[in-house]
Structure formats: structure tokens, C-alpha cells
């Protein structure tokens, strides 16, 4: 596709359920980021992949959060045993080269609501 | 720890005015600074990227400046239009890691 695609667009989960959020970056993009955005706030960094390698996962808030990009393209963010504080918009972004030298292209996000 | 602040939090101006949005950061060890636009329910669109060695970047009616030593950036919008209404966020890439640190944004409303 022409841009970064995220699915699902909206997800409602009951507390304690596991969820999986998908990101399809722009084809050929090396860098992939996940961010979490609470209402009225700027995004917060979660994790960074360069191709299939997860180079920084320091932003993942707990061990319930797990991200992978096994073939260096599609990425999945998994949240186990969801809690109400996990409710947020989860944004994926990709860039064609390393993380510092090119603009990021963002998807429209997945809005997760935990009830 | 890097902190990014944007002032004002919200701004409403009549169409046609020139305006300035402000961004400040506490740690000058940045690799670059970026300005983004976010429309309701949408992702973020990159507007301008300024490398730490640069002073400004221009794209159409937008001009962004960077004063790294004082920890400040401004986004200048000329001849504002209703279509410019959105939330504008600035973010800095740190030298030391892969993390973009974000401000909370300025919500801009341009009145026709």
C-alpha cells in the first residue's frame, strides 16, 4: 500500500484479555517504531526495530507488552492480560533508513479501549 | 531526562494571520527536531525535520527554526487557512538512543 497500515482500527477488550495489534509498514522501510498515545498527550515511545532486530524496547511499560517483527516487515504488538491503564491509541511508524535521518511515516493508529 | 514543552496548548486565530508555535526542550544533546501535524482520529504527518546542525527548514507556508543552545524551536505559519486547523506536535530525537521525545502539542483553530 501507499502508507503505513494498522489493524484493527478500534479494539475493545475486557480486562484480562490478550490483544494483538498489527502494523504493515511501507514496503522496504528499515525502521519501525511503536508509540502509545493517551488522550490529549504526545506519543510515548514503546519500542524500535531495525529490520527484524529489536534494538530498543525500553519504553515497553511492563512485561505484559511484547513486540515482534520476525521477517523485517509486518510487526505485531501484543498486550497480555490487558488493564484499564492500557487504554490508548497505539501508533506505528516506519522510515526508509535508520531512525535519525529520515521523516517518520505514521499509520492512523489502533484505539484500544479496555473495559 | 529530556522534557519537551509546547506553548500555547491551544490557539484560535482568524484566517489570514501569520502565527508562531513554540517548542522548548531541556537537553540540547539532540540529533534532530521534527514538527508534526495530527488531525482528529488520524495518525501524524511529518511537516519539517531540522538536523541539529541546521538553523531552519522551510516548506511552503511553513518555516521551522532551531536554536539548539537555548533549547528552542518555533514553527511559523504564514497566511493561515482553515485547513491548517489541527494539533501541531514537536519531537526531538536524542543523540543517545532511538527515542523520539514529544511535546503535548498545540491545538490550532483557524476561524474562517
Amino acid at each position: 500500500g501507499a502508507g503505513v497500515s494498522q489493524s484493527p482500527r478500534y479494539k475493545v477488550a475486557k480486562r484480562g484479555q490478550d490483544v494483538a495489534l498489527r502494523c504493515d509498514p511501507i514496503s522496504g522501510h528499515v525502521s519501525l517504531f511503536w508509540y502509545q498515545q493517551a488522550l490529549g498527550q504526545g506519543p510515548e515511545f514503546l519500542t524500535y526495530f531495525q529490520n527484524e532486530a529489536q534494538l530498543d524496547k525500553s519504553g515497553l511499560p511492563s512485561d505484559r507488552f511484547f513486540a515482534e517483527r520476525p521477517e523485517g516487515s509486518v510487526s505485531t504488538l501484543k498486550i497480555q492480560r490487558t488493564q484499564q491503564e492500557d487504554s490508548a491509541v497505539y501508533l506505528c511508524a516506519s522510515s526508509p533508513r535508520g531512525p535519525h535521518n529520515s521523516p517518520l511515516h505514521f499509520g492512523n493508529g489502533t484505539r484500544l479501549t479496555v473495559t | 531526562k529530556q522534557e519537551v514543552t509546547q506553548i500555547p496548548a491551544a490557539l484560535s486565530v482568524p484566517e489570514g494571520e501569520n502565527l508562531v508555535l513554540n517548542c522548548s526542550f531541556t537537553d540540547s544533546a539532540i540529533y534532530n527536531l521534527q514538527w508534526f501535524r495530527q488531525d482528529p482520529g488520524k495518525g501524524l504527518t511529518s511537516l519539517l525535520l531540522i538536523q541539529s546542525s541546521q538553523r531552519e527548514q522551510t516548506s511552503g507556508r511553513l518555516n521551522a527554526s532551531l536554536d539548539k543552545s537555548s533549547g528552542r524551536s518555533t514553527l511559523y505559519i504564514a497566511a493561515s487557512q482553515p485547513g491548517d486547523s489541527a494539533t501541531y506536535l514537536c519531537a526531538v530525537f536524542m543523540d543517545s538512543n532511538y527515542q523520539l521525545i514529544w511535546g503535548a502539542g498545540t491545538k490550532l483553530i483557524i476561524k474562517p
Side-chain angles (χ1 to χ4, degrees), chain A residues 15-55:
Chain A
R15 191 165 63 93
Q17 280 185 331
D18 299 348
V19 298
L21 313 181
R22 177 185 170 107
C23 173
D24 284 83
I26 294 173
S27 178
H29 275 199
V30 167
S31 292
L32 186 146
F33 298 80
W34 283 98
Y35 291 89
Q36 180 189 60
Q37 187 175 24
L39 189 65
Q41 301 295 317
E44 297 272 349
F45 171 83
L46 293 177
T47 188
Y48 167 66
F49 289 87
Q50 191 166 90
N51 296 309
E52 69 278 5
Q54 189 175 22
L55 299 187

Side-chain angles (χ1 to χ4, degrees), chain A residues 13-111:
Chain A
K14 291 186 178 179
R15 191 165 63 93
Q17 280 185 331
D18 299 348
V19 298
L21 313 181
R22 177 185 170 107
C23 173
D24 284 83
I26 294 173
S27 178
H29 275 199
V30 167
S31 292
L32 186 146
F33 298 80
W34 283 98
Y35 291 89
Q36 180 189 60
Q37 187 175 24
L39 189 65
Q41 301 295 317
E44 297 272 349
F45 171 83
L46 293 177
T47 188
Y48 167 66
F49 289 87
Q50 191 166 90
N51 296 309
E52 69 278 5
Q54 189 175 22
L55 299 187
D56 189 343
K57 56 181 182 180
S58 62
L60 296 176
S62 76
D63 59 7
R64 297 185 295 103
F65 286 70
F66 172 78
E68 60 183 4
R69 194 187 185 197
E71 298 178 357
S73 56
V74 171
S75 178
T76 303
L77 176 67
K78 297 178 179 178
I79 308 173
Q80 297 177 323
R81 304 181 304 281
T82 52
Q83 304 295 316
Q84 284 192 319
E85 61 263 27
D86 300 334
S87 296
V89 175
Y90 291 85
L91 296 166
C92 175
S94 69
S95 68
R97 299 184 297 276
H100 296 121
N101 294 318
S102 50
L104 296 182
H105 300 260
F106 279 83
N108 286 339
T110 293
R111 180 178 296 278

